[in-house]
Amino acid sequence: MTRSISPSLQATLDLLNAMTPFASVSGQLSQQRELAQWLEDWIRQQLNGVPVLPVSLQNDENTPPLVHMRIERQAAKTLVLYNMYDVMPATDEGWEFPPFTGGMTEWPGTGAVYIARGAENNKGPLAGMLMAIKSLCDTGGLDVNLEIILEGEEETCSGRLRRYLAQEPCPVPPAGAVFFPSLCEYGGGEPRVYLGFSGLSGGRLRVSGGAWGGPHAAIHASNANWIANPVWRLVHALHTIAPAVNSGVIARLPVDEAANELLHTLAENFSIRDELRFRHSETLSVSGDTLACLQQLINGAVLNISEIRSDPQQARGVIPHSASAELALRVPPGIDGENLLADVRRTLSQAEFGGVELELDDSYPGHRFPRNSPGVDALLASYQLQGAKPQIWPWAPGCAPAYTFARIAPAFLIGGLGHGGNAHGVNEFVTLHGLERFQQSVTDWIRFYTHDSSFSALPE
């Protein structure tokens, strides 16, 4: 690598490199606890943060700890900085560097990159966020009270976080905004500002053999004329709930006037080709002009199937005794996800689906907020300061637990410059240039949020 690295970027890379070896994956509780304690210690030592909910006192639950730290500056404004330390699973196969070791290299057309699990989602942004706070602290520029909340269940519906924030009284004081620093120059395109997020329900459909005609234990496939197969029953249930012709879309929301106004502006310069390239696809599953495609991207409640399995697996000559499908229902704000789940349960209660059960792990609704909410203009200004032209979306097709913060602040903003990619996939990366832009944009956002007048002269 020939790229020179500034001292501030090197410090962020060092922090990211220290976090990378923690395999903070769902189900690896010891690794998650170790990283949570490490983060609490770092914030206490480097930022003079005070633990509100010490990690050491959270060993009684079989869930990853929350990190809740407070930096009290006796300031007029309070800001919540939210982030996550959990990452998706990964094996070494196909990676240029072991995913929980990480490393830097140069990619033609992309430039210098840091590759590791979590580099984009979301250990890279977490490192940049913490170093942005440190730079403000070190220079005397932190003029806002901070509540820092880091969770280890973002990928699995944020159950502990939602229960924590639902307490009376709420352990987090009222704030002007909640900010979720992330790399928002998706695919290297213009940065995005989302005025809301979709909700998420995660779980599975499970079919076990028994009285309905399936086997109690796996048996030879020659019995298929007599003995029903759980996999076929599962496939039938899935198709009834969400017909394949609709690609899992089970409901659509008419886009209201406020959302359509933003989409009209977005469609003027939006490139579907670039978006498909970013999403590693070449074709759309919908048709129409750019505006219609954007409407369909955000207004559908979609049931995604990530895995179908049977027990026993890879046994071609047997009828399995059970089958299951891992599901995630993503629901835009404005559609009642609980009603959709009730409809699914009513369908499964029919006699033809005997033995099919819906197991729900967790669930939360979508949430949106107005364009004039506190913090939105400051985020736009932080982008414009570095020459970016932000896109404003009515809400994200992706999910985040925005609703759970609604009692604390009027806005939940995900934001930050920076280009990364392959989140949840092989060779997840962040560009070094993008990480540097990200850290600066977070620093600027906090500064602009704190001092409204500092960005009033910036162009629209």
Side-chain angles (χ1 to χ4, degrees):
M1 286 188 49
T2 58
R3 186 185 194 279
S4 61
I5 299 177
S6 66
S8 62
L9 177 59
Q10 185 60 60
T12 304
L13 288 169
D14 290 344
L15 181 56
L16 175 55
N17 205 45
M19 288 192 288
T20 294
F22 292 94
S24 50
V25 174
S26 176
Q28 297 205 33
L29 194 57
S30 63
Q31 286 284 292
Q32 292 177 313
R33 282 179 173 158
E34 287 180 22
L35 180 53
Q37 186 63 67
W38 190 93
L39 288 165
E40 181 186 279
D41 292 341
W42 191 93
I43 295 169
R44 179 173 48 80
Q45 295 164 6
Q46 301 295 324
L47 307 179
N48 292 319
V50 176
V52 179
L53 180 69
V55 170
S56 61
L57 301 182
Q58 300 178 60
N59 292 327
D60 56 332
E61 296 185 42
N62 194 30
T63 53
L66 282 176
V67 178
H68 182 187
M69 305 291 286
R70 180 168 293 153
I71 301 177
E72 177 60 58
R73 309 295 274 196
Q74 300 298 313
K77 291 184 177 181
T78 296
L79 175 65
V80 176
L81 292 179
Y82 160 82
N83 224 301
M84 53 188 279
Y85 63 82
D86 57 320
V87 296
M88 296 297 285
T91 63
D92 290 357
E93 185 177 357
W95 287 72
E96 292 190 30
F97 302 96
F100 293 104
T101 300
M104 288 186 288
T105 189
E106 194 92 18
W107 280 354
T110 302
V113 296
Y114 180 88
I115 299 171
R117 173 56 85 228
E120 182 191 30
N121 186 25
N122 220 53
K123 287 179 178 177
L126 173 56
M129 180 190 92
L130 293 175
M131 292 307 299
I133 300 170
K134 189 174 189 306
S135 70
L136 288 169
C137 289
D138 291 348
T139 58
L142 186 65
D143 300 320
V144 63
N145 307 316
L146 291 183
E147 300 283 324
I148 301 173
I149 299 179
L150 313 177
E151 69 157 320
E153 294 181 296
E154 195 278 340
E155 300 290 2
T156 54
C157 289
S158 305
R160 187 185 185 112
L161 171 70
R162 294 186 290 110
R163 292 189 298 272
Y164 182 63
L165 297 183
Q167 294 181 92
E168 294 291 354
C170 183
V172 180
V178 179
F179 188 40
F180 180 9
S182 295
L183 304 171
C184 290
E185 291 181 298
Y186 300 107
E190 295 293 355
R192 302 182 181 186
V193 175
Y194 293 121
L195 304 179
F197 292 87
S198 298
L200 179 64
S201 299
R204 66 202 53 80
L205 276 191
R206 188 181 301 279
V207 186
S208 299
W212 57 270
H216 291 281
I219 61 172
H220 198 281
S222 62
N223 293 286
N225 285 308
W226 282 359
I227 307 296
N229 189 319
V231 178
W232 282 118
R233 205 170 190 84
L234 176 66
V235 170
H236 177 46
L238 289 170
H239 179 73
T240 303
I241 293 168
V245 68
N246 295 330
S247 297
V249 177
I250 60 177
R252 286 205 179 274
L253 171 76
V255 180
D256 60 44
E257 184 178 348
N260 259 328
E261 185 176 341
L262 293 172
L263 290 179
H264 272 282
T265 302
L266 180 60
E268 291 175 2
N269 298 299
F270 190 83
S271 170
I272 292 178
R273 177 177 296 180
D274 289 346
E275 188 73 7
L276 290 174
R277 188 182 304 117
F278 158 62
R279 297 181 186 278
H280 305 289
S281 180
E282 297 178 355
T283 57
L284 284 168
S285 60
V286 297
S287 60
D289 58 21
T290 302
L291 176 60
C293 290
L294 288 171
Q295 290 170 332
Q296 293 188 60
L297 177 63
I298 70 168
N299 77 345
V302 183
L303 187 69
N304 185 62
I305 304 168
S306 60
E307 178 185 8
I308 295 178
R309 59 180 297 161
S310 61
D311 194 5
Q313 291 181 288
Q314 300 176 344
R316 197 175 292 180
V318 304
I319 300 172
H321 62 78
S322 65
S324 64
E326 293 296 315
L327 309 175
L329 177 62
R330 298 172 180 269
V331 181
I335 293 181
D336 191 327
E338 290 299 317
N339 283 344
L340 294 182
L341 291 171
D343 289 341
V344 169
R345 289 192 172 95
R346 277 192 291 270
T347 297
L348 297 179
S349 68
Q350 300 172 25
E352 63 182 298
F353 299 115
V356 182
E357 296 182 82
L358 174 63
E359 298 178 353
L360 196 62
D361 294 332
D362 219 330
S363 181
Y364 62 79
H367 179 71
R368 63 188 293 199
F369 47 89
R371 161 67 181 82
N372 62 354
S373 297
V376 176
D377 284 336
L379 180 57
L380 294 171
S382 73
Y383 291 163
Q384 292 164 342
L385 192 63
Q386 295 193 54
K389 298 178 179 179
Q391 302 173 353
I392 304 178
W393 291 62
W395 59 82
C399 304
Y403 94 97
T404 197
F405 287 99
R407 64 185 302 210
I408 296 167
F412 178 97
L413 289 161
I414 188 170
L417 295 177
H419 174 204
N422 298 336
H424 296 195
V426 172
N427 286 328
E428 183 178 353
F429 73 95
V430 58
T431 68
L432 268 58
H433 177 61
L435 190 57
E436 199 160 32
R437 280 166 62 79
F438 170 80
Q439 186 171 325
Q440 185 61 52
S441 70
V442 173
T443 303
D444 291 335
W445 189 89
I446 296 173
R447 182 165 53 88
F448 289 155
Y449 169 80
T450 307
H451 307 288
D452 291 339
S453 60
S454 63
F455 64 86
S456 58
L458 285 171
E460 291 291 331

